[in-house]
Amino acid sequence: MISLLSVAYQLRKDYYDGIDKDLASLSTVVSDLTKLDSDMLTANATNPQVMANLSIAVTNRRVALLTEADRLIKGLGDKAPHAQLAVLGPEYFQVNDYDTALRYFELLTNPPSSTMEKLSAWRSIAILYSAEGPDAFENARKAFAEAADVLPDAKDIGSINLELGVHEQWAQFEMAVRNYPAAFQHFEEARLLVNRFPCMPERDSSVARVDAEGEEALGDLRKFDPAKAGD
């Protein structure tokens, strides 16, 4: 009996030691990716030519880190920290690995994600689908709708700003694909949200921005379909 208990204890200890080791390794990989991005921005700002010469080596390093991160996350399963998934999703998107980026963003839409993580993940999913072309546009719209539903009754200025950003981005997407009725609908949703702002300076600047975006959409419509612009 004692021997069996000892074996069970050792197996359990090995299991959790393995998880701790993988979590530490994942943290190191994410830290290295973040540093790589920071170093790239600094190098590009100070000496673009040097950065251009290093671009292949940097890309290879990024791919190697992302491959190791994905291996670790597959092993960790639902124990993968959401904060690190939030860093890695955009990294995979940046290297055009949409399938892995989507998998990570979808993990962030589930508990125990915070409201901010969930809303940001749905917005990222919408952007990802919008980048994949017309066959994915309906999925982009569904993701925007999910993002908008994360804060269905925003009242404080922070929540209103988040909801406002979703509808503005959704409107911009619809304008880009020349679905003008939907674009105007979401600019109007944005305008209604702006009216909820409790302070005038914030409200006035946001009204000006949303109105300018709506005018841009109307100008675009006049250019491509003058007949409908007069409706």
Side-chain angles (χ1 to χ4, degrees):
M1 174 65 75
I2 294 175
S3 177
L4 287 175
L5 286 173
S6 297
V7 170
Y9 171 81
Q10 188 61 47
L11 288 173
R12 183 178 177 84
K13 181 178 184 299
D14 290 347
Y15 171 74
Y16 283 105
D17 284 350
I19 288 176
D20 289 343
K21 182 179 178 181
D22 284 351
L23 286 170
S25 297
L26 181 60
S27 179
T28 299
V29 169
V30 171
S31 177
D32 287 349
L33 277 165
T34 303
K35 185 176 186 305
L36 182 65
D37 288 340
S38 176
D39 290 347
M40 282 180 62
L41 286 172
T42 302
N44 196 49
T46 56
N47 196 330
Q49 186 57 49
V50 170
M51 193 61 249
N53 294 336
L54 290 173
S55 61
I56 294 176
V58 170
T59 298
N60 290 340
R61 174 63 174 156
R62 173 177 279 111
V63 170
L65 288 169
L66 290 173
T67 300
E68 176 62 7
D70 196 46
R71 182 189 72 78
L72 290 165
I73 285 171
K74 284 176 178 175
L76 288 167
D78 60 5
K79 293 178 177 61
H82 279 208
Q84 292 173 352
L85 292 175
V87 173
L88 290 167
E91 291 280 354
Y92 283 100
F93 185 88
Q94 187 174 333
V95 298
N96 298 322
D97 186 348
Y98 292 164
D99 288 343
T100 306
L102 179 61
R103 177 158 50 89
Y104 285 17
F105 290 140
E106 286 177 338
L107 286 171
L108 287 167
T109 66
N110 298 317
S113 289
S114 67
T115 298
M116 186 64 181
E117 285 175 334
K118 188 180 295 186
L119 189 147
S120 179
W122 279 119
R123 285 177 66 173
S124 296
I125 291 170
I127 293 167
L128 187 153
Y129 278 129
S130 68
E132 290 193 329
D135 289 345
F137 285 170
E138 282 307 310
N139 285 332
R141 292 183 177 104
K142 289 175 183 176
F144 275 125
E146 291 284 358
D149 283 344
V150 172
L151 294 166
D153 189 25
K155 289 185 172 66
D156 63 275
I157 193 165
S159 298
I160 293 169
N161 259 322
L162 289 171
E163 184 82 358
L164 172 63
V166 172
H167 284 286
E168 282 188 276
Q169 202 163 23
W170 194 345
Q172 293 287 355
F173 160 71
E174 298 292 3
M175 190 174 81
V177 301
R178 297 183 188 169
N179 184 1
Y180 294 104
F184 291 130
Q185 173 192 338
H186 290 291
F187 280 131
E188 180 59 24
E189 292 283 353
R191 191 68 153 75
L192 291 172
L193 282 162
V194 169
N195 290 336
R196 295 190 196 175
F197 278 141
C199 51
M200 289 302 295
E202 183 78 16
R203 187 186 309 166
D204 291 345
S205 62
S206 297
V207 164
R209 184 185 69 246
V210 173
D211 285 351
E213 290 168 343
E215 284 298 319
E216 182 184 352
L218 185 57
D220 203 45
L221 179 56
R222 288 193 184 106
K223 180 179 176 181
F224 290 102
D225 198 340
K228 287 186 179 176
D231 292 344

